[in-house]
Amino acid sequence: MDSLNKTITTIFFIMGFETKRNMEMFLFSLFMSMYMLTLGAHFLIITLVLLERHLHKPMYLLLANFSLVDFSFSSTTVPSMLSTMLHQEAIISLPSCITQIFFFHTFGNSENLLLSAMAYDRYVAICHPLRYSAIMNRHTCVTICSVCCVCAFLHAFLHAIVTSRLDFHHQEHIPHFFCDIPPLLEISSSDTTFNQLLIFTEGSLVALVPSSLTVLSYVRIIISILRIRSSTGRQKAFSTCASHLTVFFLFSASAVSMYFRSSSVSSPHKGKFVTLLYTAVTPMCNPYIYCLRNNEVKITLKKWLPSNKSKL
């Protein structure tokens, strides 16, 4: 009964960025614009892939799934952050906080796993082009996406259950702009040793295995690119890989810095900035880097433009 009362009555005050009011409104306008741009770009990619039959290929199906996960990932935190900026403080119950943690980690880990799947897709396309259609068919693509979602769901469910068992005072202030595991561990009155151990063991496995596969895939891709005789072809291929790797390392380094840092050197302000990188900035950049630079997508997009339709 005491545990039930704790769950029902515990509320959190999300502190946000704790800046001056005029700065809060500037940040609100900035991140609202970024969020709307993120949603628009991802919605455009998903719509193009769904409606254009010639884009029904494994690479674009993976990109469409990645876009769906990416804007869902951003939507678990950015609206909460915007609300906090407007009201300078947001109130959330413990069940709602745990729910936000669950969806945040479900979509975040799905994104990491899909990045690995997309890297493998490019590896097969570049290093084994003759076997590409046999290896990366629609059934394989659906299976990969399903496995990514199931693994991410189980990971998030485990951490949400373990976090929900922590004890908190009746009212707690979270020095962040949304509910996440590290801030809750800092303010919990329980022993968080098991939670920390779970992050460094199971969390490391879930994060580092797909990241290692991504790096390995791109290493093999770069080796194949170096064998290309045409300097123009090498330059174009390197440009694409460099863009992909930049976003991947930005996302991975931010996540590692947030969840595997030492609590003795952690800083709430640093944590907020790091989290902003992979919850607001990278989801906005991903559509352009992974899809909108693609020639086939650009040609399809031009067909959809009103100016081009009027000429037909």
Side-chain angles (χ1 to χ4, degrees), residues 6-51:
K6 178 205 72 172
T7 302
I8 294 175
T9 59
T10 299
I11 60 173
F12 298 106
F13 295 90
I14 300 178
M15 304 307 296
F17 290 93
E18 301 180 81
T19 57
K20 294 181 179 179
R21 186 60 180 168
N22 57 346
M23 180 59 69
E24 290 275 357
M25 295 311 298
F26 169 75
L27 292 175
F28 175 84
S29 301
L30 174 64
F31 289 114
M32 173 61 84
S33 301
M34 292 172 61
Y35 181 59
M36 296 306 295
L37 184 62
T38 299
L39 292 186
H42 285 300
F43 179 77
L44 177 62
I45 291 170
I46 294 170
T47 303
L48 285 175
V49 174
L50 287 177
L51 298 183

mmCIF file of all heavy atoms in Angstrom, residues 6-51:
data_model
loop_
_atom_site.group_PDB
_atom_site.id
_atom_site.type_symbol
_atom_site.label_atom_id
_atom_site.label_comp_id
_atom_site.label_asym_id
_atom_site.label_seq_id
_atom_site.Cartn_x
_atom_site.Cartn_y
_atom_site.Cartn_z
ATOM 1 N N LYS A 6 2.973 5.948 -2.886
ATOM 2 C CA LYS A 6 4.155 6.658 -3.410
ATOM 3 C C LYS A 6 4.007 6.903 -4.902
ATOM 4 O O LYS A 6 4.262 7.988 -5.408
ATOM 5 C CB LYS A 6 5.413 5.831 -3.134
ATOM 6 C CG LYS A 6 6.691 6.459 -3.669
ATOM 7 C CD LYS A 6 7.768 5.443 -3.929
ATOM 8 C CE LYS A 6 7.432 4.609 -5.136
ATOM 9 N NZ LYS A 6 8.545 3.718 -5.554
ATOM 10 N N THR A 7 3.549 5.871 -5.641
ATOM 11 C CA THR A 7 3.408 5.987 -7.089
ATOM 12 C C THR A 7 2.363 7.023 -7.475
ATOM 13 O O THR A 7 2.532 7.768 -8.432
ATOM 14 C CB THR A 7 3.029 4.605 -7.680
ATOM 15 O OG1 THR A 7 4.027 3.680 -7.335
ATOM 16 C CG2 THR A 7 2.912 4.688 -9.195
ATOM 17 N N ILE A 8 1.270 7.073 -6.694
ATOM 18 C CA ILE A 8 0.172 7.966 -7.044
ATOM 19 C C ILE A 8 0.503 9.420 -6.713
ATOM 20 O O ILE A 8 0.179 10.330 -7.465
ATOM 21 C CB ILE A 8 -1.115 7.531 -6.318
ATOM 22 C CG1 ILE A 8 -1.559 6.159 -6.840
ATOM 23 C CG2 ILE A 8 -2.234 8.547 -6.506
ATOM 24 C CD1 ILE A 8 -2.740 5.579 -6.106
ATOM 25 N N THR A 9 1.161 9.647 -5.553
ATOM 26 C CA THR A 9 1.322 11.017 -5.076
ATOM 27 C C THR A 9 2.615 11.684 -5.508
ATOM 28 O O THR A 9 2.712 12.906 -5.468
ATOM 29 C CB THR A 9 1.254 11.038 -3.532
ATOM 30 O OG1 THR A 9 2.286 10.192 -3.002
ATOM 31 C CG2 THR A 9 -0.103 10.531 -3.058
ATOM 32 N N THR A 10 3.622 10.922 -5.912
ATOM 33 C CA THR A 10 4.898 11.536 -6.275
ATOM 34 C C THR A 10 4.763 12.357 -7.548
ATOM 35 O O THR A 10 4.272 11.873 -8.565
ATOM 36 C CB THR A 10 5.980 10.461 -6.480
ATOM 37 O OG1 THR A 10 6.164 9.747 -5.263
ATOM 38 C CG2 THR A 10 7.296 11.097 -6.888
ATOM 39 N N ILE A 11 5.194 13.595 -7.478
ATOM 40 C CA ILE A 11 5.200 14.462 -8.657
ATOM 41 C C ILE A 11 6.582 15.073 -8.807
ATOM 42 O O ILE A 11 7.332 15.219 -7.840
ATOM 43 C CB ILE A 11 4.134 15.581 -8.573
ATOM 44 C CG1 ILE A 11 4.376 16.467 -7.346
ATOM 45 C CG2 ILE A 11 2.731 15.007 -8.587
ATOM 46 C CD1 ILE A 11 3.476 17.677 -7.295
ATOM 47 N N PHE A 12 6.911 15.420 -10.052
ATOM 48 C CA PHE A 12 8.209 16.013 -10.354
ATOM 49 C C PHE A 12 7.999 17.390 -10.974
ATOM 50 O O PHE A 12 7.067 17.596 -11.761
ATOM 51 C CB PHE A 12 8.991 15.134 -11.328
ATOM 52 C CG PHE A 12 9.305 13.763 -10.799
ATOM 53 C CD1 PHE A 12 8.610 12.656 -11.266
ATOM 54 C CD2 PHE A 12 10.291 13.581 -9.847
ATOM 55 C CE1 PHE A 12 8.890 11.395 -10.785
ATOM 56 C CE2 PHE A 12 10.579 12.315 -9.362
ATOM 57 C CZ PHE A 12 9.879 11.224 -9.828
ATOM 58 N N PHE A 13 8.880 18.306 -10.614
ATOM 59 C CA PHE A 13 8.912 19.625 -11.234
ATOM 60 C C PHE A 13 10.106 19.645 -12.187
ATOM 61 O O PHE A 13 11.260 19.575 -11.752
ATOM 62 C CB PHE A 13 9.055 20.730 -10.176
ATOM 63 C CG PHE A 13 7.889 20.826 -9.248
ATOM 64 C CD1 PHE A 13 7.856 20.103 -8.056
ATOM 65 C CD2 PHE A 13 6.799 21.627 -9.577
ATOM 66 C CE1 PHE A 13 6.774 20.186 -7.202
ATOM 67 C CE2 PHE A 13 5.704 21.717 -8.716
ATOM 68 C CZ PHE A 13 5.698 20.996 -7.536
ATOM 69 N N ILE A 14 9.824 19.704 -13.480
ATOM 70 C CA ILE A 14 10.887 19.732 -14.483
ATOM 71 C C ILE A 14 11.373 21.177 -14.625
ATOM 72 O O ILE A 14 10.608 22.067 -15.004
ATOM 73 C CB ILE A 14 10.393 19.181 -15.825
ATOM 74 C CG1 ILE A 14 9.935 17.728 -15.645
ATOM 75 C CG2 ILE A 14 11.481 19.261 -16.888
ATOM 76 C CD1 ILE A 14 9.371 17.095 -16.893
ATOM 77 N N MET A 15 12.634 21.397 -14.336
ATOM 78 C CA MET A 15 13.160 22.759 -14.228
ATOM 79 C C MET A 15 13.503 23.392 -15.568
ATOM 80 O O MET A 15 13.590 24.613 -15.682
ATOM 81 C CB MET A 15 14.411 22.756 -13.332
ATOM 82 C CG MET A 15 14.172 22.174 -11.949
ATOM 83 S SD MET A 15 12.781 22.959 -11.094
ATOM 84 C CE MET A 15 13.420 24.625 -10.922
ATOM 85 N N GLY A 16 13.750 22.585 -16.595
ATOM 86 C CA GLY A 16 14.105 23.153 -17.897
ATOM 87 C C GLY A 16 15.500 23.740 -17.895
ATOM 88 O O GLY A 16 16.409 23.252 -17.221
ATOM 89 N N PHE A 17 15.661 24.871 -18.609
ATOM 90 C CA PHE A 17 16.995 25.472 -18.769
ATOM 91 C C PHE A 17 17.301 26.515 -17.706
ATOM 92 O O PHE A 17 18.435 26.945 -17.558
ATOM 93 C CB PHE A 17 17.127 26.095 -20.164
ATOM 94 C CG PHE A 17 17.196 25.075 -21.262
ATOM 95 C CD1 PHE A 17 16.047 24.668 -21.924
ATOM 96 C CD2 PHE A 17 18.395 24.490 -21.619
ATOM 97 C CE1 PHE A 17 16.095 23.709 -22.920
ATOM 98 C CE2 PHE A 17 18.457 23.531 -22.617
ATOM 99 C CZ PHE A 17 17.304 23.144 -23.267
ATOM 100 N N GLU A 18 16.296 26.969 -16.985
ATOM 101 C CA GLU A 18 16.476 27.938 -15.900
ATOM 102 C C GLU A 18 17.251 29.176 -16.350
ATOM 103 O O GLU A 18 18.231 29.585 -15.732
ATOM 104 C CB GLU A 18 17.189 27.274 -14.720
ATOM 105 C CG GLU A 18 16.445 26.071 -14.145
ATOM 106 C CD GLU A 18 17.170 25.424 -12.991
ATOM 107 O OE1 GLU A 18 17.054 25.944 -11.868
ATOM 108 O OE2 GLU A 18 17.866 24.418 -13.221
ATOM 109 N N THR A 19 16.795 29.766 -17.447
ATOM 110 C CA THR A 19 17.406 30.998 -17.957
ATOM 111 C C THR A 19 16.423 32.152 -17.806
ATOM 112 O O THR A 19 15.290 31.981 -17.353
ATOM 113 C CB THR A 19 17.782 30.837 -19.440
ATOM 114 O OG1 THR A 19 16.609 30.490 -20.191
ATOM 115 C CG2 THR A 19 18.817 29.731 -19.619
ATOM 116 N N LYS A 20 16.854 33.348 -18.199
ATOM 117 C CA LYS A 20 15.988 34.519 -18.124
ATOM 118 C C LYS A 20 14.818 34.373 -19.091
ATOM 119 O O LYS A 20 14.892 33.666 -20.079
ATOM 120 C CB LYS A 20 16.793 35.781 -18.453
ATOM 121 C CG LYS A 20 17.872 36.084 -17.419
ATOM 122 C CD LYS A 20 18.612 37.352 -17.776
ATOM 123 C CE LYS A 20 19.696 37.669 -16.724
ATOM 124 N NZ LYS A 20 20.447 38.899 -17.082
ATOM 125 N N ARG A 21 13.724 35.087 -18.784
ATOM 126 C CA ARG A 21 12.488 34.936 -19.544
ATOM 127 C C ARG A 21 12.676 35.278 -21.016
ATOM 128 O O ARG A 21 12.170 34.561 -21.891
ATOM 129 C CB ARG A 21 11.402 35.852 -18.943
ATOM 130 C CG ARG A 21 10.015 35.674 -19.573
ATOM 131 C CD ARG A 21 9.530 34.252 -19.397
ATOM 132 N NE ARG A 21 8.215 34.055 -19.993
ATOM 133 C CZ ARG A 21 7.651 32.880 -20.179
ATOM 134 N NH1 ARG A 21 8.298 31.783 -19.833
ATOM 135 N NH2 ARG A 21 6.457 32.765 -20.704
ATOM 136 N N ASN A 22 13.413 36.367 -21.324
ATOM 137 C CA ASN A 22 13.601 36.728 -22.731
ATOM 138 C C ASN A 22 14.429 35.683 -23.469
ATOM 139 O O ASN A 22 14.199 35.389 -24.644
ATOM 140 C CB ASN A 22 14.240 38.116 -22.855
ATOM 141 C CG ASN A 22 15.566 38.211 -22.119
ATOM 142 O OD1 ASN A 22 15.902 37.345 -21.307
ATOM 143 N ND2 ASN A 22 16.318 39.264 -22.383
ATOM 144 N N MET A 23 15.388 35.062 -22.767
ATOM 145 C CA MET A 23 16.175 33.988 -23.369
ATOM 146 C C MET A 23 15.321 32.738 -23.566
ATOM 147 O O MET A 23 15.457 32.030 -24.568
ATOM 148 C CB MET A 23 17.386 33.676 -22.496
ATOM 149 C CG MET A 23 18.274 32.550 -23.055
ATOM 150 S SD MET A 23 18.920 32.910 -24.709
ATOM 151 C CE MET A 23 20.069 34.249 -24.315
ATOM 152 N N GLU A 24 14.422 32.472 -22.620
ATOM 153 C CA GLU A 24 13.512 31.330 -22.749
ATOM 154 C C GLU A 24 12.657 31.460 -24.005
ATOM 155 O O GLU A 24 12.458 30.492 -24.743
ATOM 156 C CB GLU A 24 12.607 31.238 -21.516
ATOM 157 C CG GLU A 24 13.313 30.829 -20.249
ATOM 158 C CD GLU A 24 13.438 29.326 -20.110
ATOM 159 O OE1 GLU A 24 12.921 28.612 -20.986
ATOM 160 O OE2 GLU A 24 14.060 28.861 -19.133
ATOM 161 N N MET A 25 12.145 32.658 -24.268
ATOM 162 C CA MET A 25 11.290 32.856 -25.439
ATOM 163 C C MET A 25 12.086 32.744 -26.734
ATOM 164 O O MET A 25 11.582 32.244 -27.747
ATOM 165 C CB MET A 25 10.603 34.219 -25.363
ATOM 166 C CG MET A 25 9.631 34.347 -24.196
ATOM 167 S SD MET A 25 8.480 32.941 -24.067
ATOM 168 C CE MET A 25 7.599 33.085 -25.627
ATOM 169 N N PHE A 26 13.345 33.183 -26.706
ATOM 170 C CA PHE A 26 14.201 33.030 -27.886
ATOM 171 C C PHE A 26 14.454 31.551 -28.160
ATOM 172 O O PHE A 26 14.352 31.090 -29.302
ATOM 173 C CB PHE A 26 15.527 33.761 -27.674
ATOM 174 C CG PHE A 26 16.567 33.429 -28.715
ATOM 175 C CD1 PHE A 26 16.488 33.958 -29.995
ATOM 176 C CD2 PHE A 26 17.622 32.567 -28.404
ATOM 177 C CE1 PHE A 26 17.437 33.629 -30.961
ATOM 178 C CE2 PHE A 26 18.569 32.246 -29.366
ATOM 179 C CZ PHE A 26 18.475 32.777 -30.639
ATOM 180 N N LEU A 27 14.785 30.803 -27.097
ATOM 181 C CA LEU A 27 15.024 29.364 -27.254
ATOM 182 C C LEU A 27 13.754 28.646 -27.691
ATOM 183 O O LEU A 27 13.802 27.709 -28.487
ATOM 184 C CB LEU A 27 15.541 28.775 -25.944
ATOM 185 C CG LEU A 27 16.944 29.200 -25.502
ATOM 186 C CD1 LEU A 27 17.268 28.641 -24.129
ATOM 187 C CD2 LEU A 27 17.992 28.750 -26.513
ATOM 188 N N PHE A 28 12.606 29.087 -27.164
ATOM 189 C CA PHE A 28 11.337 28.484 -27.567
ATOM 190 C C PHE A 28 11.109 28.657 -29.069
ATOM 191 O O PHE A 28 10.753 27.700 -29.770
ATOM 192 C CB PHE A 28 10.179 29.122 -26.788
ATOM 193 C CG PHE A 28 8.824 28.650 -27.237
ATOM 194 C CD1 PHE A 28 8.285 27.474 -26.741
ATOM 195 C CD2 PHE A 28 8.086 29.387 -28.164
ATOM 196 C CE1 PHE A 28 7.039 27.029 -27.160
ATOM 197 C CE2 PHE A 28 6.843 28.943 -28.585
ATOM 198 C CZ PHE A 28 6.317 27.761 -28.084
ATOM 199 N N SER A 29 11.327 29.862 -29.579
ATOM 200 C CA SER A 29 11.142 30.118 -31.012
ATOM 201 C C SER A 29 12.125 29.310 -31.847
ATOM 202 O O SER A 29 11.756 28.753 -32.888
ATOM 203 C CB SER A 29 11.319 31.618 -31.298
ATOM 204 O OG SER A 29 10.407 32.389 -30.569
ATOM 205 N N LEU A 30 13.367 29.224 -31.375
ATOM 206 C CA LEU A 30 14.394 28.486 -32.111
ATOM 207 C C LEU A 30 14.058 27.004 -32.198
ATOM 208 O O LEU A 30 14.048 26.412 -33.286
ATOM 209 C CB LEU A 30 15.753 28.683 -31.429
ATOM 210 C CG LEU A 30 16.927 27.859 -31.993
ATOM 211 C CD1 LEU A 30 17.226 28.264 -33.426
ATOM 212 C CD2 LEU A 30 18.171 28.036 -31.113
ATOM 213 N N PHE A 31 13.752 26.398 -31.050
ATOM 214 C CA PHE A 31 13.515 24.954 -31.035
ATOM 215 C C PHE A 31 12.148 24.578 -31.595
ATOM 216 O O PHE A 31 11.981 23.473 -32.111
ATOM 217 C CB PHE A 31 13.707 24.405 -29.627
ATOM 218 C CG PHE A 31 15.139 24.395 -29.178
ATOM 219 C CD1 PHE A 31 15.559 25.205 -28.131
ATOM 220 C CD2 PHE A 31 16.069 23.608 -29.824
ATOM 221 C CE1 PHE A 31 16.883 25.215 -27.727
ATOM 222 C CE2 PHE A 31 17.400 23.607 -29.433
ATOM 223 C CZ PHE A 31 17.807 24.413 -28.387
ATOM 224 N N MET A 32 11.194 25.487 -31.520
ATOM 225 C CA MET A 32 9.917 25.234 -32.188
ATOM 226 C C MET A 32 10.112 25.189 -33.696
ATOM 227 O O MET A 32 9.566 24.306 -34.389
ATOM 228 C CB MET A 32 8.898 26.324 -31.820
ATOM 229 C CG MET A 32 7.585 26.236 -32.613
ATOM 230 S SD MET A 32 6.688 24.674 -32.365
ATOM 231 C CE MET A 32 5.798 25.068 -30.865
ATOM 232 N N SER A 33 10.920 26.103 -34.236
ATOM 233 C CA SER A 33 11.214 26.106 -35.675
ATOM 234 C C SER A 33 11.957 24.838 -36.077
ATOM 235 O O SER A 33 11.645 24.225 -37.108
ATOM 236 C CB SER A 33 12.042 27.342 -36.036
ATOM 237 O OG SER A 33 11.368 28.527 -35.699
ATOM 238 N N MET A 34 12.933 24.445 -35.273
ATOM 239 C CA MET A 34 13.683 23.221 -35.565
ATOM 240 C C MET A 34 12.775 21.998 -35.523
ATOM 241 O O MET A 34 12.872 21.101 -36.373
ATOM 242 C CB MET A 34 14.835 23.063 -34.564
ATOM 243 C CG MET A 34 15.935 24.091 -34.704
ATOM 244 S SD MET A 34 17.160 24.005 -33.367
ATOM 245 C CE MET A 34 17.797 22.342 -33.595
ATOM 246 N N TYR A 35 11.880 21.969 -34.554
ATOM 247 C CA TYR A 35 10.989 20.818 -34.413
ATOM 248 C C TYR A 35 10.018 20.718 -35.590
ATOM 249 O O TYR A 35 9.792 19.626 -36.132
ATOM 250 C CB TYR A 35 10.215 20.940 -33.102
ATOM 251 C CG TYR A 35 9.270 19.795 -32.829
ATOM 252 C CD1 TYR A 35 9.732 18.483 -32.744
ATOM 253 C CD2 TYR A 35 7.912 20.029 -32.632
ATOM 254 C CE1 TYR A 35 8.867 17.433 -32.479
ATOM 255 C CE2 TYR A 35 7.039 18.988 -32.378
ATOM 256 C CZ TYR A 35 7.520 17.693 -32.296
ATOM 257 O OH TYR A 35 6.653 16.648 -32.049
ATOM 258 N N MET A 36 9.454 21.850 -35.999
ATOM 259 C CA MET A 36 8.534 21.842 -37.137
ATOM 260 C C MET A 36 9.265 21.438 -38.414
ATOM 261 O O MET A 36 8.719 20.710 -39.257
ATOM 262 C CB MET A 36 7.889 23.224 -37.306
ATOM 263 C CG MET A 36 7.016 23.653 -36.132
ATOM 264 S SD MET A 36 5.740 22.436 -35.710
ATOM 265 C CE MET A 36 4.731 22.487 -37.200
ATOM 266 N N LEU A 37 10.509 21.901 -38.577
ATOM 267 C CA LEU A 37 11.312 21.508 -39.728
ATOM 268 C C LEU A 37 11.602 20.007 -39.695
ATOM 269 O O LEU A 37 11.550 19.328 -40.739
ATOM 270 C CB LEU A 37 12.623 22.303 -39.739
ATOM 271 C CG LEU A 37 13.560 22.097 -40.936
ATOM 272 C CD1 LEU A 37 12.873 22.526 -42.230
ATOM 273 C CD2 LEU A 37 14.846 22.891 -40.742
ATOM 274 N N THR A 38 11.880 19.487 -38.511
ATOM 275 C CA THR A 38 12.137 18.047 -38.354
ATOM 276 C C THR A 38 10.917 17.225 -38.734
ATOM 277 O O THR A 38 11.014 16.262 -39.515
ATOM 278 C CB THR A 38 12.530 17.744 -36.887
ATOM 279 O OG1 THR A 38 13.720 18.464 -36.557
ATOM 280 C CG2 THR A 38 12.771 16.255 -36.690
ATOM 281 N N LEU A 39 9.755 17.597 -38.216
ATOM 282 C CA LEU A 39 8.527 16.857 -38.518
ATOM 283 C C LEU A 39 8.195 16.922 -40.002
ATOM 284 O O LEU A 39 7.819 15.915 -40.612
ATOM 285 C CB LEU A 39 7.355 17.420 -37.699
ATOM 286 C CG LEU A 39 7.391 17.213 -36.193
ATOM 287 C CD1 LEU A 39 6.092 17.704 -35.567
ATOM 288 C CD2 LEU A 39 7.617 15.754 -35.834
ATOM 289 N N GLY A 40 8.346 18.114 -40.590
ATOM 290 C CA GLY A 40 8.032 18.275 -42.013
ATOM 291 C C GLY A 40 8.929 17.437 -42.903
ATOM 292 O O GLY A 40 8.451 16.785 -43.840
ATOM 293 N N ALA A 41 10.226 17.436 -42.613
ATOM 294 C CA ALA A 41 11.174 16.683 -43.438
ATOM 295 C C ALA A 41 10.935 15.177 -43.329
ATOM 296 O O ALA A 41 10.927 14.458 -44.329
ATOM 297 C CB ALA A 41 12.604 17.028 -43.030
ATOM 298 N N HIS A 42 10.718 14.701 -42.119
ATOM 299 C CA HIS A 42 10.484 13.259 -41.940
ATOM 300 C C HIS A 42 9.152 12.830 -42.548
ATOM 301 O O HIS A 42 9.060 11.752 -43.146
ATOM 302 C CB HIS A 42 10.522 12.898 -40.456
ATOM 303 C CG HIS A 42 11.897 12.881 -39.875
ATOM 304 N ND1 HIS A 42 12.886 12.049 -40.352
ATOM 305 C CD2 HIS A 42 12.460 13.584 -38.854
ATOM 306 C CE1 HIS A 42 14.000 12.239 -39.641
ATOM 307 N NE2 HIS A 42 13.758 13.164 -38.739
ATOM 308 N N PHE A 43 8.136 13.655 -42.396
ATOM 309 C CA PHE A 43 6.833 13.335 -42.992
ATOM 310 C C PHE A 43 6.951 13.282 -44.507
ATOM 311 O O PHE A 43 6.344 12.423 -45.167
ATOM 312 C CB PHE A 43 5.797 14.376 -42.571
ATOM 313 C CG PHE A 43 4.438 14.144 -43.162
ATOM 314 C CD1 PHE A 43 3.598 13.164 -42.654
ATOM 315 C CD2 PHE A 43 3.993 14.911 -44.236
ATOM 316 C CE1 PHE A 43 2.337 12.946 -43.200
ATOM 317 C CE2 PHE A 43 2.739 14.696 -44.789
ATOM 318 C CZ PHE A 43 1.905 13.705 -44.263
ATOM 319 N N LEU A 44 7.735 14.179 -45.077
ATOM 320 C CA LEU A 44 7.940 14.196 -46.527
ATOM 321 C C LEU A 44 8.606 12.910 -46.996
ATOM 322 O O LEU A 44 8.188 12.308 -48.009
ATOM 323 C CB LEU A 44 8.791 15.413 -46.909
ATOM 324 C CG LEU A 44 9.171 15.553 -48.388
ATOM 325 C CD1 LEU A 44 7.917 15.708 -49.249
ATOM 326 C CD2 LEU A 44 10.105 16.737 -48.593
ATOM 327 N N ILE A 45 9.631 12.461 -46.287
ATOM 328 C CA ILE A 45 10.337 11.231 -46.661
ATOM 329 C C ILE A 45 9.406 10.025 -46.581
ATOM 330 O O ILE A 45 9.348 9.195 -47.503
ATOM 331 C CB ILE A 45 11.566 11.032 -45.762
ATOM 332 C CG1 ILE A 45 12.623 12.094 -46.064
ATOM 333 C CG2 ILE A 45 12.161 9.630 -45.956
ATOM 334 C CD1 ILE A 45 13.765 12.128 -45.090
ATOM 335 N N ILE A 46 8.668 9.914 -45.492
ATOM 336 C CA ILE A 46 7.753 8.782 -45.323
ATOM 337 C C ILE A 46 6.693 8.778 -46.419
ATOM 338 O O ILE A 46 6.372 7.726 -46.993
ATOM 339 C CB ILE A 46 7.089 8.837 -43.934
ATOM 340 C CG1 ILE A 46 8.149 8.636 -42.848
ATOM 341 C CG2 ILE A 46 6.009 7.771 -43.810
ATOM 342 C CD1 ILE A 46 7.645 8.916 -41.447
ATOM 343 N N THR A 47 6.157 9.947 -46.751
ATOM 344 C CA THR A 47 5.122 10.052 -47.785
ATOM 345 C C THR A 47 5.674 9.665 -49.150
ATOM 346 O O THR A 47 5.028 8.925 -49.911
ATOM 347 C CB THR A 47 4.566 11.484 -47.838
ATOM 348 O OG1 THR A 47 4.049 11.852 -46.549
ATOM 349 C CG2 THR A 47 3.441 11.587 -48.862
ATOM 350 N N LEU A 48 6.871 10.142 -49.473
ATOM 351 C CA LEU A 48 7.485 9.816 -50.758
ATOM 352 C C LEU A 48 7.703 8.311 -50.905
ATOM 353 O O LEU A 48 7.394 7.728 -51.950
ATOM 354 C CB LEU A 48 8.825 10.544 -50.908
ATOM 355 C CG LEU A 48 8.793 12.040 -51.205
ATOM 356 C CD1 LEU A 48 10.208 12.607 -51.196
ATOM 357 C CD2 LEU A 48 8.133 12.318 -52.542
ATOM 358 N N VAL A 49 8.221 7.687 -49.861
ATOM 359 C CA VAL A 49 8.510 6.251 -49.928
ATOM 360 C C VAL A 49 7.225 5.435 -50.025
ATOM 361 O O VAL A 49 7.150 4.440 -50.753
ATOM 362 C CB VAL A 49 9.340 5.804 -48.705
ATOM 363 C CG1 VAL A 49 9.515 4.285 -48.684
ATOM 364 C CG2 VAL A 49 10.716 6.480 -48.718
ATOM 365 N N LEU A 50 6.181 5.863 -49.321
ATOM 366 C CA LEU A 50 4.917 5.124 -49.355
ATOM 367 C C LEU A 50 4.208 5.230 -50.695
ATOM 368 O O LEU A 50 3.650 4.243 -51.195
ATOM 369 C CB LEU A 50 3.983 5.627 -48.241
ATOM 370 C CG LEU A 50 4.332 5.226 -46.808
ATOM 371 C CD1 LEU A 50 3.359 5.872 -45.830
ATOM 372 C CD2 LEU A 50 4.305 3.713 -46.643
ATOM 373 N N LEU A 51 4.247 6.417 -51.311
ATOM 374 C CA LEU A 51 3.443 6.663 -52.508
ATOM 375 C C LEU A 51 4.172 6.387 -53.819
ATOM 376 O O LEU A 51 3.518 6.144 -54.836
ATOM 377 C CB LEU A 51 2.926 8.107 -52.501
ATOM 378 C CG LEU A 51 1.992 8.474 -51.334
ATOM 379 C CD1 LEU A 51 1.501 9.919 -51.486
ATOM 380 C CD2 LEU A 51 0.804 7.523 -51.252
#
